[in-house]
């Protein structure tokens, strides 16, 4: 009897293994499993894209790691994960990690993002200049205080380069742990100006919707001689597309898998008409404008 039960167990185990092998989803441009790193500041638009992609291709599985930029890069550069979404290009030093191994780097822009400056609805101020922002970052005296989404974020790095500084001053500049925390702080405290990706303040962003009605977006005027220096611009979709809003950046998917698989398929889909319509709906600037269909009636 014991031998019989043992045989049954062995047969059941073999059957399960065969079934698991049979059930394994083949890796193609629209199926399989893709590990992907996503910069936290552009997380909402990437998740929106994945949700619709999965409706079209249910056999595609995504394993996302959503963190601030500096927390993501070690995993990307040490070859743990080969697909990353960043609001910038790789630097020459970062490209070296893959070039040295003769791995091709495929970079695709799929949206134009803006970095929004927000304040409490109760504040009188509704505008700020780029010069004012730079002065605060350089430690010059100001009654304004800036708060970033994270000390390791891509937005933090963007403004360090803008102000030409290696580190922020001891006072006047602060950080939280996420974009949602910044929105919550601004909704509750009139003493700060929050800095975060535009897609975090979109109306359809349910993650922070409870606080959005209590904040407002500042208009920004660029430095003299730069595009957007003639008036104060908000990061509206038109202003992102036209390039007049001062704090612009491109959202790129960077694929170093070295094969034609789900990473390639998803990158192509992001730039397709369906993917670009999702960008339009999000309020960001699309990589390319889709032609509109005109329905004429007699």
């Amino acid at each position: 009897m014991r031998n019989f039960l043992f045989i049954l167990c062995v047969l059941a185990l073999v059957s399960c293994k065969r079934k698991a092998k049979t059930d394994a989803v083949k890796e193609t441009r629209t199926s399989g499993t893709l590990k992907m790193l996503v910069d936290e500041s552009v997380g909402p638009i990437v998740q929106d894209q994945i949700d619709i992609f999965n409706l079209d291709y249910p056999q595609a599985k995504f394993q996302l790691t959503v963190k601030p930029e500096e927390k993501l890069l070690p995993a990307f550069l040490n070859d743990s994960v080969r697909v990353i979404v960043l609001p910038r290009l790789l630097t020459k030093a970062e490209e070296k990690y893959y070039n040295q191994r003769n791995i091709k780097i495929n970079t695709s822009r799929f949206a134009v993002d803006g970095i929004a400056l927000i304040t409490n609805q109760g504040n009188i101020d509704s505008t700020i200049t780029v010069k004012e922002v730079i002065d605060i970052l350089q430690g010059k005296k100001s009654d304004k205080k800036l708060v970033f989404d994270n000390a390791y974020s891509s937005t933090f790095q963007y403004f360090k380069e803008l102000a030409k500084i290696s580190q922020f001053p001891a006072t006047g500049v602060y950080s939280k742990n996420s974009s949602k925390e910044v929105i919550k702080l601004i909704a509750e405290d009139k003493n700060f100006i929050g800095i975060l990706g535009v897609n975090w303040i979109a109306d359809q962003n349910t993650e922070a919707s409870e606080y959005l009605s209590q904040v407002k977006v500042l208009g920004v005027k660029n430095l003299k001689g730069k595009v957007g220096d003639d008036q104060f611009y908000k990061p509206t979709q038109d202003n992102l597309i036209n390039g007049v809003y001062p704090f612009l950046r491109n959202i790129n998917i960077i694929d170093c898998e070295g094969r034609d698989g789900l990473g390639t398929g998803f990158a192509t889909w992001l730039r397709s008409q369906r993917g670009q319509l999702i960008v339009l709906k999000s309020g960001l600037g699309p990589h390319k404008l889709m032609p509109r269909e005109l329905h004429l009636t007699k």
Side-chain angles (χ1 to χ4, degrees), residues 184-200:
K184 182 176 184 293
L185 173 66
I186 299 304
E188 297 172 346
D189 194 325
K190 296 181 181 180
N191 296 316
F192 291 92
I193 293 173
I195 300 179
L196 69 170
V198 167
N199 58 157
W200 275 94

Side-chain angles (χ1 to χ4, degrees), residues 261-272:
L262 183 54
T264 306
F266 186 58
T268 302
W269 189 87
L270 288 171
R271 291 160 63 105
S272 71

